[in-house]
Amino acid sequence: MPLVSNAKNLWRKSIHLHDPFNNHNMGQDVAARHTDPVTLVIIGCGQRGKKYAAYALDEPTKCKVVAIAEPRPKTRKSFADAHHVDQTLVFNTWQDLHQASADTIKTVGKRLADAVIIAVQDHMHLEVALAFAEQGYHILCEKPMSTNLDDCLKMEAAVKKAGIIFGMGHVLRYSPYSKALTEVVRSGTLGQLINVVHIEPVGYYHFAHSYVRGNWAREEESCFSLMTKSCHDIDILCHWLSPGTPTRVSSFGSLQHFRKISKPPAAGSATRCFDCAHEKECPYSARKIYLDPVSQGNTHWPASTIVDGVPDIENITSALKHGPYGRCVYECDNDVCDNQVVNLEFSNGATATFTMIAHTSLICERQTRLHFSHGEIVGDMNTFTVTNFRTGQTKKHVPKNEGGGHGGGDTGLIRTFVEAVRTGRQSVLGTDVSQVLKSHLTVFAAESSRREGKVVDCFEFEKEARKKVII
């Protein structure tokens, strides 16, 4: 790894390749004045960082990855190799990258790139965002903004102060499916939107991977599951029902199944799948979820996320024998909800209900019904059917799926963010940091309702939250 102090000459050599802005006033939202690719820094080269950065490989004339920070050596090397990142701009930690940026701003008068993509663990989002916003970088932050409400408010303030373009990983907004559906909602052809019923089927093994064995299993180390998994579902409900805003919310939910009390008797005292007599009959078997797919040539998610480097049989077997992903799901220390319902009332009188449920065969393929005064829409993230009560006609829409995660939403978001940076227009993203914060506030209010067993007034909730934070 290069030492920060040894990289200055190569920063100078490389900086002329990606200098779209006049940095005399770095905090201002300045449109790019060139046709060169938008340059990106990737902080965190795991699954989400790779998803967003893939756009640079698919559309090299649109954007280019010029610097990265990633602590895992094999992941770091493969990412840097894939994007041909100069070794002087490959860092072990985001702090080293940030220092390199500070040095090049001081000595050369330029940032290392146009924008930063923040794809580190959720609890780190605020400190990374504050550091790079202060240096004037535009920011695309993976969801959620942060794991506590105070930090979300601080991020909003920092982004506003810096005057930068800000994108949030609310990818549901940007898929071809959602954009086509939203177009029908906004057209007014079905009249007033009165009610939405929205379900997220997380998927039985997806939940076991991420929220029982994985990084989002414990609230103390991450956040509650409604935030880490479903904040973009609440966001798209707010998007569809705008300009109405949430006024009241109630919520119910708990951890029902992934507990020791639910452990099959045949599993006995086994704490790891490789030692369990019941493993072959268990749907949550680590062997079934990770090892069997790899043995059949499927080295993608989720197996690719549990090792540093190539997810081959040897590496996966070792990870399952010794690491967290080989544990019995009934013997883990997880504590986040595996089912939750949210009821919302909006300022325009509309209502919405949202359900997050772990125990499904579908993996994140949301199911939605939108009820209007003169029609309805029924969709499943792949197709949606519009019924117009006035004409009696029903039409099925099949938006083109561009590939990539979330029905093309991952690609849609990064494409839109890059265009917003290129043009210097926040409006290209269709939202801003305050609207992003508003939907996060709604999620926090829902969790407050679940914990306290009461209906929460969203306006009062925000008022009290802002009073407590010193910015």
Side-chain angles (χ1 to χ4, degrees):
M1 293 305 300
L3 296 174
V4 171
S5 60
N6 292 337
K8 290 182 181 178
N9 288 335
L10 281 169
W11 297 333
R12 291 188 180 99
K13 180 180 75 174
S14 62
I15 199 71
H16 76 277
L17 298 176
H18 43 83
D19 179 26
F21 298 112
N22 180 338
N23 283 285
H24 294 299
N25 193 345
M26 292 185 301
Q28 289 188 356
D29 178 14
V30 185
R33 300 181 185 86
H34 65 93
T35 57
D36 293 340
V38 168
T39 50
L40 304 174
V41 172
I42 309 296
I43 310 292
C45 300
Q47 183 192 11
R48 300 309 299 158
K50 288 178 183 176
K51 288 284 188 182
Y52 294 132
Y55 183 61
L57 300 177
D58 295 337
E59 297 286 349
T61 64
K62 299 292 187 182
C63 64
K64 179 183 180 181
V65 175
V66 298
I68 66 170
E70 167 58 47
R72 294 170 295 176
K74 294 178 181 178
T75 299
R76 182 173 62 240
K77 183 180 185 306
S78 64
F79 196 102
D81 290 347
H83 290 272
H84 306 290
V85 180
D86 192 299
Q87 282 302 303
T88 63
L89 296 175
V90 176
F91 299 89
N92 184 26
T93 70
W94 72 264
Q95 291 92 340
D96 284 347
L97 195 158
H98 181 261
Q99 183 60 54
S101 177
D103 288 348
T104 200
I105 289 170
K106 181 178 180 180
T107 60
V108 185
K110 312 292 182 183
R111 293 187 293 271
L112 295 176
D114 303 330
V116 170
I117 295 179
I118 300 174
V120 293
Q121 286 297 306
D122 301 346
H123 68 276
M124 298 169 61
H125 286 179
L126 177 69
E127 59 180 339
V128 179
L130 293 186
F132 285 92
E134 187 177 24
Q135 291 186 344
Y137 287 88
H138 302 300
I139 291 174
L140 174 59
C141 182
E142 176 53 14
K143 72 168 179 66
M145 296 177 81
S146 189
T147 55
N148 68 76
L149 184 48
D150 291 358
D151 285 359
C152 293
L153 290 163
K154 291 175 182 177
M155 189 179 293
E156 179 202 33
V159 168
K160 285 185 171 182
K161 180 180 179 180
I164 57 176
I165 302 293
F166 180 79
M168 171 53 51
H170 286 157
V171 292
L172 295 184
R173 285 187 179 225
Y174 300 94
S175 71
Y177 165 88
S178 292
K179 290 169 69 175
L181 194 155
T182 301
E183 188 175 334
V184 178
V185 173
R186 295 281 184 263
S187 71
T189 56
L190 301 180
Q192 178 188 358
L193 179 55
I194 294 173
N195 170 264
V196 182
V197 178
H198 186 65
I199 300 173
E200 180 178 10
V202 181
Y204 70 98
Y205 68 84
H206 178 4
F207 195 91
H209 166 71
S210 297
Y211 303 93
V212 179
R213 294 175 169 128
N215 293 326
W216 299 273
R218 289 181 52 76
E219 184 174 342
E220 183 180 5
E221 297 167 3
S222 178
C223 197
F224 52 92
S225 55
L226 186 68
M227 178 62 76
T228 59
K229 185 70 188 81
S230 302
C231 66
H232 51 353
D233 292 278
I234 300 300
D235 175 75
I236 201 162
L237 292 176
C238 293
H239 180 50
W240 285 331
L241 287 158
S242 67
T245 57
T247 54
R248 294 192 298 170
V249 59
S250 65
S251 183
F252 309 92
S254 62
L255 174 59
Q256 281 287 303
H257 182 69
F258 297 100
R259 305 178 293 165
K260 192 164 186 175
I261 194 173
S262 301
K263 187 176 182 179
S269 61
T271 60
R272 305 189 76 85
C273 293
F274 275 26
D275 304 322
C276 181
H278 184 67
E279 179 267 325
K280 290 184 179 180
E281 286 72 44
C282 180
Y284 304 105
S285 159
R287 186 186 299 272
K288 292 178 181 176
I289 294 173
Y290 306 105
L291 190 56
D292 288 354
V294 168
S295 67
Q296 297 166 13
N298 182 0
T299 58
H300 302 297
W301 182 92
S304 62
T305 67
I306 73 172
V307 295
D308 179 25
V310 179
D312 56 23
I313 291 176
E314 182 180 359
N315 288 336
I316 295 296
T317 299
S318 177
L320 298 184
K321 285 184 176 180
H322 307 292
Y325 293 94
R327 295 177 296 170
C328 171
V329 295
Y330 305 107
E331 295 282 357
C332 293
D333 55 356
N334 57 296
D335 60 10
V336 298
C337 291
D338 59 14
N339 75 104
Q340 190 163 352
V341 295
V342 178
N343 307 303
L344 291 161
E345 177 187 66
F346 285 76
S347 57
N348 55 10
T351 57
T353 59
F354 169 68
T355 297
M356 179 201 73
I357 178 65
H359 311 95
T360 64
S361 58
L362 294 175
I363 306 295
C364 303
E365 294 182 40
R366 277 83 170 172
Q367 299 157 332
T368 309
R369 300 184 66 97
L370 297 95
H371 306 111
F372 301 78
S373 58
H374 293 80
E376 68 179 358
I377 302 174
V378 179
D380 62 5
M381 274 189 77
N382 296 302
T383 67
F384 62 91
T385 301
V386 177
T387 300
N388 188 318
F389 299 160
R390 292 186 178 99
T391 64
Q393 293 181 330
T394 296
K395 181 179 179 181
K396 184 176 183 179
H397 295 250
V398 187
K400 182 180 179 181
N401 187 330
E402 300 174 304
H406 299 93
D410 292 351
T411 302
L413 172 57
I414 183 63
R415 179 197 295 120
T416 306
F417 175 72
V418 165
E419 180 63 10
V421 172
R422 188 188 70 80
T423 61
R425 294 188 296 131
Q426 178 70 43
S427 60
V428 171
L429 282 156
T431 188
D432 59 28
V433 68
S434 293
Q435 290 175 305
V436 169
L437 174 65
K438 182 73 72 173
S439 66
H440 276 66
L441 282 162
T442 305
V443 179
F444 281 111
E447 183 65 5
S448 177
S449 170
R450 185 188 74 84
R451 291 177 181 278
E452 299 176 21
K454 65 180 183 181
V455 176
V456 174
D457 182 301
C458 295
F459 296 118
E460 287 299 317
F461 184 83
E462 178 176 354
K463 180 180 177 181
E464 290 302 311
R466 290 189 179 278
K467 283 169 54 177
K468 295 176 183 177
V469 179
I470 299 175
I471 298 174

Short mmCIF file of all heavy atoms in Angstrom, two decimals, residues 238-284:
data_model
loop_
_atom_site.label_atom_id
_atom_site.label_comp_id
_atom_site.label_asym_id
_atom_site.label_seq_id
_atom_site.Cartn_x
_atom_site.Cartn_y
_atom_site.Cartn_z
N CYS A 238 -43.65 7.49 0.23
CA CYS A 238 -43.68 8.95 0.35
C CYS A 238 -43.59 9.61 -1.02
O CYS A 238 -44.24 10.64 -1.28
CB CYS A 238 -42.53 9.42 1.24
SG CYS A 238 -42.67 8.94 2.98
N HIS A 239 -42.81 9.02 -1.90
CA HIS A 239 -42.65 9.54 -3.27
C HIS A 239 -43.96 9.48 -4.03
O HIS A 239 -44.38 10.47 -4.65
CB HIS A 239 -41.58 8.71 -3.96
CG HIS A 239 -41.29 9.10 -5.37
ND1 HIS A 239 -41.02 10.40 -5.76
CD2 HIS A 239 -41.20 8.35 -6.51
CE1 HIS A 239 -40.79 10.44 -7.06
NE2 HIS A 239 -40.89 9.21 -7.54
N TRP A 240 -44.63 8.34 -3.99
CA TRP A 240 -45.89 8.19 -4.72
C TRP A 240 -46.99 9.10 -4.16
O TRP A 240 -47.82 9.61 -4.92
CB TRP A 240 -46.36 6.74 -4.66
CG TRP A 240 -45.58 5.82 -5.55
CD1 TRP A 240 -44.96 6.13 -6.72
CD2 TRP A 240 -45.34 4.42 -5.34
NE1 TRP A 240 -44.35 5.02 -7.27
CE2 TRP A 240 -44.57 3.96 -6.44
CE3 TRP A 240 -45.70 3.51 -4.34
CZ2 TRP A 240 -44.16 2.63 -6.56
CZ3 TRP A 240 -45.28 2.19 -4.46
CH2 TRP A 240 -44.51 1.76 -5.55
N LEU A 241 -46.98 9.32 -2.85
CA LEU A 241 -48.06 10.07 -2.22
C LEU A 241 -47.75 11.56 -2.06
O LEU A 241 -48.56 12.30 -1.51
CB LEU A 241 -48.41 9.45 -0.87
CG LEU A 241 -49.18 8.12 -1.01
CD1 LEU A 241 -49.04 7.26 0.24
CD2 LEU A 241 -50.64 8.38 -1.31
N SER A 242 -46.57 11.99 -2.52
CA SER A 242 -46.28 13.42 -2.47
C SER A 242 -47.19 14.16 -3.47
O SER A 242 -47.64 13.57 -4.45
CB SER A 242 -44.80 13.66 -2.83
OG SER A 242 -44.56 13.33 -4.18
N PRO A 243 -47.52 15.42 -3.22
CA PRO A 243 -46.93 16.30 -2.22
C PRO A 243 -47.45 16.11 -0.80
O PRO A 243 -47.05 16.85 0.10
CB PRO A 243 -47.29 17.70 -2.74
CG PRO A 243 -48.60 17.49 -3.43
CD PRO A 243 -48.49 16.12 -4.07
N GLY A 244 -48.33 15.13 -0.60
CA GLY A 244 -48.73 14.80 0.76
C GLY A 244 -47.53 14.31 1.55
O GLY A 244 -46.61 13.70 0.99
N THR A 245 -47.53 14.57 2.84
CA THR A 245 -46.44 14.12 3.70
C THR A 245 -47.01 13.31 4.86
O THR A 245 -48.17 13.50 5.25
CB THR A 245 -45.64 15.31 4.27
OG1 THR A 245 -46.55 16.18 4.98
CG2 THR A 245 -44.96 16.08 3.16
N PRO A 246 -46.24 12.38 5.42
CA PRO A 246 -46.75 11.57 6.54
C PRO A 246 -47.11 12.44 7.74
O PRO A 246 -46.36 13.34 8.12
CB PRO A 246 -45.57 10.65 6.87
CG PRO A 246 -44.77 10.58 5.61
CD PRO A 246 -44.89 11.95 5.01
N THR A 247 -48.28 12.18 8.29
CA THR A 247 -48.72 12.92 9.48
C THR A 247 -48.78 12.05 10.73
O THR A 247 -48.44 12.49 11.81
CB THR A 247 -50.12 13.54 9.24
OG1 THR A 247 -51.03 12.50 8.83
CG2 THR A 247 -50.06 14.62 8.18
N ARG A 248 -49.24 10.80 10.57
CA ARG A 248 -49.30 9.88 11.71
C ARG A 248 -48.85 8.49 11.26
O ARG A 248 -49.08 8.09 10.12
CB ARG A 248 -50.71 9.79 12.29
CG ARG A 248 -51.20 11.09 12.93
CD ARG A 248 -52.47 10.86 13.74
NE ARG A 248 -53.58 10.39 12.91
CZ ARG A 248 -54.74 9.93 13.40
NH1 ARG A 248 -54.91 9.86 14.72
NH2 ARG A 248 -55.70 9.55 12.59
N VAL A 249 -48.22 7.76 12.20
CA VAL A 249 -47.74 6.43 11.88
C VAL A 249 -47.89 5.52 13.10
O VAL A 249 -47.74 5.95 14.25
CB VAL A 249 -46.26 6.48 11.42
CG1 VAL A 249 -45.36 7.06 12.49
CG2 VAL A 249 -45.77 5.10 11.02
N SER A 250 -48.23 4.27 12.82
CA SER A 250 -48.23 3.25 13.87
C SER A 250 -47.56 2.00 13.30
O SER A 250 -47.52 1.80 12.08
CB SER A 250 -49.65 2.91 14.34
OG SER A 250 -50.40 2.31 13.29
N SER A 251 -47.00 1.18 14.17
CA SER A 251 -46.27 0.01 13.69
C SER A 251 -46.27 -1.09 14.73
O SER A 251 -46.29 -0.83 15.94
CB SER A 251 -44.82 0.40 13.35
OG SER A 251 -44.12 -0.70 12.81
N PHE A 252 -46.25 -2.33 14.24
CA PHE A 252 -46.19 -3.52 15.08
C PHE A 252 -45.21 -4.50 14.46
O PHE A 252 -45.11 -4.60 13.23
CB PHE A 252 -47.57 -4.18 15.18
CG PHE A 252 -48.66 -3.24 15.58
CD1 PHE A 252 -49.42 -2.60 14.60
CD2 PHE A 252 -48.93 -2.97 16.90
CE1 PHE A 252 -50.43 -1.72 14.93
CE2 PHE A 252 -49.93 -2.09 17.26
CZ PHE A 252 -50.69 -1.46 16.28
N GLY A 253 -44.48 -5.23 15.28
CA GLY A 253 -43.55 -6.21 14.75
C GLY A 253 -42.70 -6.80 15.86
O GLY A 253 -42.69 -6.33 16.99
N SER A 254 -41.97 -7.87 15.52
CA SER A 254 -41.15 -8.55 16.51
C SER A 254 -40.23 -9.54 15.82
O SER A 254 -40.31 -9.76 14.61
CB SER A 254 -42.03 -9.29 17.52
OG SER A 254 -42.80 -10.29 16.86
N LEU A 255 -39.36 -10.17 16.60
CA LEU A 255 -38.57 -11.29 16.15
C LEU A 255 -39.32 -12.55 16.54
O LEU A 255 -39.39 -12.90 17.71
CB LEU A 255 -37.18 -11.27 16.80
CG LEU A 255 -36.27 -12.46 16.53
CD1 LEU A 255 -36.01 -12.65 15.05
CD2 LEU A 255 -34.96 -12.33 17.30
N GLN A 256 -39.89 -13.22 15.56
CA GLN A 256 -40.76 -14.37 15.84
C GLN A 256 -40.05 -15.71 15.72
O GLN A 256 -40.22 -16.57 16.58
CB GLN A 256 -41.95 -14.35 14.87
CG GLN A 256 -43.03 -13.38 15.25
CD GLN A 256 -43.82 -13.84 16.46
OE1 GLN A 256 -44.41 -14.92 16.48
NE2 GLN A 256 -43.81 -13.03 17.50
N HIS A 257 -39.29 -15.90 14.65
CA HIS A 257 -38.83 -17.26 14.36
C HIS A 257 -37.36 -17.53 14.68
O HIS A 257 -37.05 -18.59 15.23
CB HIS A 257 -39.06 -17.58 12.88
CG HIS A 257 -38.67 -18.99 12.51
ND1 HIS A 257 -39.35 -20.09 12.96
CD2 HIS A 257 -37.62 -19.46 11.77
CE1 HIS A 257 -38.77 -21.19 12.50
NE2 HIS A 257 -37.71 -20.83 11.77
N PHE A 258 -36.48 -16.62 14.36
CA PHE A 258 -35.05 -16.90 14.47
C PHE A 258 -34.57 -16.73 15.91
O PHE A 258 -33.78 -15.86 16.24
CB PHE A 258 -34.27 -16.01 13.50
CG PHE A 258 -34.62 -16.28 12.06
CD1 PHE A 258 -35.50 -15.45 11.38
CD2 PHE A 258 -34.10 -17.38 11.40
CE1 PHE A 258 -35.84 -15.70 10.06
CE2 PHE A 258 -34.43 -17.65 10.07
CZ PHE A 258 -35.30 -16.81 9.41
N ARG A 259 -35.08 -17.63 16.76
CA ARG A 259 -34.76 -17.63 18.18
C ARG A 259 -34.50 -19.07 18.63
O ARG A 259 -34.94 -20.02 17.98
CB ARG A 259 -35.93 -17.08 18.99
CG ARG A 259 -36.41 -15.69 18.57
CD ARG A 259 -37.60 -15.24 19.39
NE ARG A 259 -38.78 -16.05 19.13
CZ ARG A 259 -39.85 -16.07 19.91
NH1 ARG A 259 -39.87 -15.35 21.02
NH2 ARG A 259 -40.90 -16.81 19.60
N LYS A 260 -33.84 -19.23 19.75
CA LYS A 260 -33.49 -20.57 20.23
C LYS A 260 -34.73 -21.41 20.50
O LYS A 260 -34.72 -22.63 20.30
CB LYS A 260 -32.63 -20.48 21.48
CG LYS A 260 -31.99 -21.81 21.87
CD LYS A 260 -30.86 -21.62 22.85
CE LYS A 260 -30.15 -22.95 23.10
NZ LYS A 260 -28.96 -22.78 23.97
N ILE A 261 -35.80 -20.76 20.93
CA ILE A 261 -37.03 -21.48 21.23
C ILE A 261 -37.61 -22.17 19.99
O ILE A 261 -38.36 -23.14 20.10
CB ILE A 261 -38.07 -20.53 21.87
CG1 ILE A 261 -39.21 -21.33 22.51
CG2 ILE A 261 -38.58 -19.52 20.84
CD1 ILE A 261 -40.17 -20.48 23.29
N SER A 262 -37.26 -21.66 18.81
CA SER A 262 -37.77 -22.23 17.56
C SER A 262 -36.87 -23.33 16.99
O SER A 262 -37.18 -23.92 15.94
CB SER A 262 -37.93 -21.13 16.50
OG SER A 262 -38.81 -20.12 16.93
N LYS A 263 -35.78 -23.63 17.64
CA LYS A 263 -34.82 -24.61 17.14
C LYS A 263 -35.44 -26.01 17.09
O LYS A 263 -36.02 -26.47 18.07
CB LYS A 263 -33.58 -24.64 18.02
CG LYS A 263 -32.45 -25.51 17.50
CD LYS A 263 -31.22 -25.41 18.41
CE LYS A 263 -30.06 -26.23 17.87
NZ LYS A 263 -28.87 -26.13 18.74
N PRO A 264 -35.35 -26.71 15.95
CA PRO A 264 -35.91 -28.07 15.85
C PRO A 264 -35.24 -29.01 16.85
O PRO A 264 -34.00 -28.99 16.99
CB PRO A 264 -35.58 -28.48 14.41
CG PRO A 264 -35.38 -27.19 13.68
CD PRO A 264 -34.78 -26.25 14.67
N PRO A 265 -36.00 -29.81 17.55
CA PRO A 265 -35.42 -30.74 18.52
C PRO A 265 -34.33 -31.63 17.92
O PRO A 265 -33.34 -31.95 18.59
CB PRO A 265 -36.62 -31.57 18.98
CG PRO A 265 -37.79 -30.66 18.77
CD PRO A 265 -37.48 -29.89 17.53
N ALA A 266 -34.49 -32.01 16.66
CA ALA A 266 -33.52 -32.90 16.02
C ALA A 266 -32.15 -32.25 15.89
O ALA A 266 -31.14 -32.96 15.69
CB ALA A 266 -34.02 -33.32 14.64
N ALA A 267 -32.09 -30.93 15.97
CA ALA A 267 -30.80 -30.24 15.87
C ALA A 267 -29.97 -30.39 17.12
O ALA A 267 -28.75 -30.17 17.11
CB ALA A 267 -31.02 -28.76 15.55
N GLY A 268 -30.60 -30.76 18.23
CA GLY A 268 -29.89 -30.99 19.48
C GLY A 268 -29.10 -29.80 19.94
O GLY A 268 -29.57 -28.66 19.89
N SER A 269 -27.87 -30.05 20.35
CA SER A 269 -27.01 -28.99 20.90
C SER A 269 -26.09 -28.37 19.85
O SER A 269 -25.25 -27.54 20.18
CB SER A 269 -26.16 -29.55 22.04
OG SER A 269 -25.32 -30.60 21.56
N ALA A 270 -26.24 -28.76 18.60
CA ALA A 270 -25.37 -28.24 17.54
C ALA A 270 -25.50 -26.72 17.42
O ALA A 270 -26.61 -26.19 17.45
CB ALA A 270 -25.70 -28.89 16.21
N THR A 271 -24.39 -26.07 17.27
CA THR A 271 -24.40 -24.61 17.10
C THR A 271 -23.94 -24.20 15.70
O THR A 271 -24.03 -23.02 15.35
CB THR A 271 -23.48 -23.93 18.13
OG1 THR A 271 -22.14 -24.42 17.97
CG2 THR A 271 -23.97 -24.21 19.55
N ARG A 272 -23.46 -25.18 14.89
CA ARG A 272 -23.02 -24.90 13.53
C ARG A 272 -23.63 -25.94 12.60
O ARG A 272 -23.81 -27.10 12.96
CB ARG A 272 -21.50 -24.90 13.41
CG ARG A 272 -20.80 -23.94 14.37
CD ARG A 272 -19.32 -23.83 14.04
NE ARG A 272 -19.09 -23.00 12.87
CZ ARG A 272 -18.99 -21.67 12.89
NH1 ARG A 272 -19.10 -21.01 14.02
NH2 ARG A 272 -18.77 -21.00 11.77
N CYS A 273 -23.92 -25.50 11.39
CA CYS A 273 -24.61 -26.37 10.43
C CYS A 273 -23.80 -27.63 10.10
O CYS A 273 -24.37 -28.70 9.92
CB CYS A 273 -24.92 -25.60 9.15
SG CYS A 273 -26.14 -24.29 9.37
N PHE A 274 -22.49 -27.52 10.03
CA PHE A 274 -21.66 -28.66 9.67
C PHE A 274 -21.68 -29.75 10.74
O PHE A 274 -21.28 -30.89 10.48
CB PHE A 274 -20.22 -28.21 9.41
CG PHE A 274 -19.98 -27.71 8.01
CD1 PHE A 274 -21.00 -27.19 7.24
CD2 PHE A 274 -18.71 -27.77 7.44
CE1 PHE A 274 -20.79 -26.72 5.95
CE2 PHE A 274 -18.48 -27.30 6.14
CZ PHE A 274 -19.53 -26.78 5.40
N ASP A 275 -22.13 -29.40 11.95
CA ASP A 275 -22.15 -30.36 13.05
C ASP A 275 -23.57 -30.82 13.40
O ASP A 275 -23.77 -31.49 14.41
CB ASP A 275 -21.52 -29.74 14.31
CG ASP A 275 -20.12 -29.23 14.06
OD1 ASP A 275 -19.38 -29.90 13.32
OD2 ASP A 275 -19.76 -28.16 14.60
N CYS A 276 -24.54 -30.46 12.55
CA CYS A 276 -25.95 -30.65 12.89
C CYS A 276 -26.57 -31.85 12.20
O CYS A 276 -26.48 -31.98 10.97
CB CYS A 276 -26.74 -29.39 12.53
SG CYS A 276 -28.49 -29.48 12.92
N ALA A 277 -27.23 -32.71 12.97
CA ALA A 277 -27.90 -33.89 12.41
C ALA A 277 -29.14 -33.52 11.62
O ALA A 277 -29.62 -34.30 10.79
CB ALA A 277 -28.27 -34.86 13.54
N HIS A 278 -29.67 -32.33 11.87
CA HIS A 278 -30.91 -31.87 11.21
C HIS A 278 -30.62 -31.05 9.95
O HIS A 278 -31.54 -30.64 9.25
CB HIS A 278 -31.72 -31.04 12.21
CG HIS A 278 -33.05 -30.58 11.69
ND1 HIS A 278 -34.09 -31.44 11.41
CD2 HIS A 278 -33.50 -29.32 11.39
CE1 HIS A 278 -35.13 -30.75 10.97
NE2 HIS A 278 -34.80 -29.47 10.96
N GLU A 279 -29.36 -30.84 9.65
CA GLU A 279 -28.97 -29.90 8.60
C GLU A 279 -29.64 -30.17 7.25
O GLU A 279 -30.10 -29.23 6.58
CB GLU A 279 -27.45 -29.93 8.43
CG GLU A 279 -26.90 -29.02 7.34
CD GLU A 279 -26.75 -29.74 6.00
OE1 GLU A 279 -26.42 -30.94 6.03
OE2 GLU A 279 -26.99 -29.12 4.95
N LYS A 280 -29.75 -31.41 6.85
CA LYS A 280 -30.31 -31.72 5.53
C LYS A 280 -31.78 -31.34 5.42
O LYS A 280 -32.28 -31.10 4.32
CB LYS A 280 -30.13 -33.20 5.22
CG LYS A 280 -28.69 -33.61 4.96
CD LYS A 280 -28.58 -35.06 4.56
CE LYS A 280 -27.14 -35.44 4.26
NZ LYS A 280 -27.01 -36.88 3.86
N GLU A 281 -32.48 -31.30 6.54
CA GLU A 281 -33.90 -30.96 6.53
C GLU A 281 -34.15 -29.47 6.80
O GLU A 281 -35.28 -29.00 6.71
CB GLU A 281 -34.67 -31.77 7.58
CG GLU A 281 -34.89 -33.23 7.22
CD GLU A 281 -33.62 -34.06 7.30
OE1 GLU A 281 -32.88 -33.89 8.29
OE2 GLU A 281 -33.34 -34.83 6.36
N CYS A 282 -33.11 -28.75 7.14
CA CYS A 282 -33.28 -27.34 7.54
C CYS A 282 -33.19 -26.42 6.34
O CYS A 282 -32.20 -26.44 5.59
CB CYS A 282 -32.20 -26.96 8.55
SG CYS A 282 -32.33 -25.24 9.13
N PRO A 283 -34.19 -25.57 6.11
CA PRO A 283 -34.15 -24.63 4.97
C PRO A 283 -33.07 -23.56 5.13
O PRO A 283 -32.68 -22.92 4.15
CB PRO A 283 -35.55 -24.01 4.97
CG PRO A 283 -36.02 -24.13 6.38
CD PRO A 283 -35.44 -25.42 6.89
N TYR A 284 -32.59 -23.37 6.37
CA TYR A 284 -31.61 -22.32 6.63
C TYR A 284 -30.19 -22.87 6.72
O TYR A 284 -29.29 -22.18 7.18
CB TYR A 284 -31.99 -21.58 7.92
CG TYR A 284 -33.39 -21.04 7.86
CD1 TYR A 284 -34.43 -21.65 8.57
CD2 TYR A 284 -33.69 -19.94 7.06
CE1 TYR A 284 -35.74 -21.16 8.48
CE2 TYR A 284 -34.98 -19.45 6.97
CZ TYR A 284 -36.00 -20.06 7.68
OH TYR A 284 -37.29 -19.60 7.59
#
